[in-house]
Amino acid sequence: MATVEVALKEMMTGIEGAVGAAVVDYTSGMALGTLGGGRDLDLTVAAAGNTDVIRAKVRTMEHLGLDSKIEDILITLEGQYHLIRLVTSRSGNGLFIYLVLDKDRSNLAMARHQLKRIEEQLEV
């Protein structure tokens, strides 16, 4: 099992092209931890904004009567991939992992695979 700090370090060093990472409580929009980012990527602002994305998708699924769980959400920008992965463990209920990748330096399929493994080991 990995703590938030260990999970963040693993995302930033173990996933090729990682630019920033956060573990976020989507009930409050607060980041439990962030790593990376910078002047052009404020992870605290991104955490709050992506909380709205999660809430909107959950509401839409409820309105559609879909009885399924969100694994991850991908947002593709010109130069970046933004991955949002909900934490499925009991201790992580209400949390998601947010990972920003440089599009030119990353392999999206491999990043999703590694992020799933990190999420499964996350203990909060």
Side-chain angles (χ1 to χ4, degrees):
M1 292 294 161
T3 64
V4 169
E5 293 80 17
V6 170
L8 290 169
K9 287 178 186 172
E10 193 170 342
M11 283 185 270
M12 290 300 293
T13 60
I15 299 177
E16 186 72 28
V19 175
V23 176
V24 184
D25 176 346
Y26 68 80
T27 58
S28 69
M30 299 293 293
L32 302 181
T34 63
L35 192 59
R39 197 169 32 100
D40 296 331
L41 179 61
D42 184 331
L43 290 168
T44 305
V45 172
N50 285 306
T51 295
D52 293 336
V53 171
I54 298 275
R55 290 176 184 162
K57 187 59 187 171
V58 168
R59 268 193 318 274
T60 301
M61 289 175 63
E62 288 171 358
H63 292 312
L64 292 171
L66 297 176
D67 188 30
S68 189
K69 295 185 193 268
I70 299 169
E71 287 184 16
D72 60 30
I73 296 171
L74 170 64
I75 300 167
T76 305
L77 304 179
E78 288 179 1
Q80 296 176 334
Y81 294 120
H82 291 229
L83 277 168
I84 301 167
R85 181 163 185 92
L86 273 66
V87 178
T88 57
S89 68
R90 282 179 289 177
S91 69
N93 192 25
L95 301 180
F96 68 89
I97 295 172
Y98 173 61
L99 177 65
V100 179
L101 300 167
D102 180 299
K103 206 172 183 182
D104 294 330
R105 298 185 305 119
S106 63
N107 177 320
L108 181 58
M110 189 58 120
R112 288 183 70 218
H113 177 72
Q114 291 170 301
L115 195 59
K116 179 181 180 191
R117 182 183 49 76
I118 292 168
E119 176 264 320
E120 289 171 345
Q121 295 175 354
L122 180 63
E123 184 73 33
V124 181

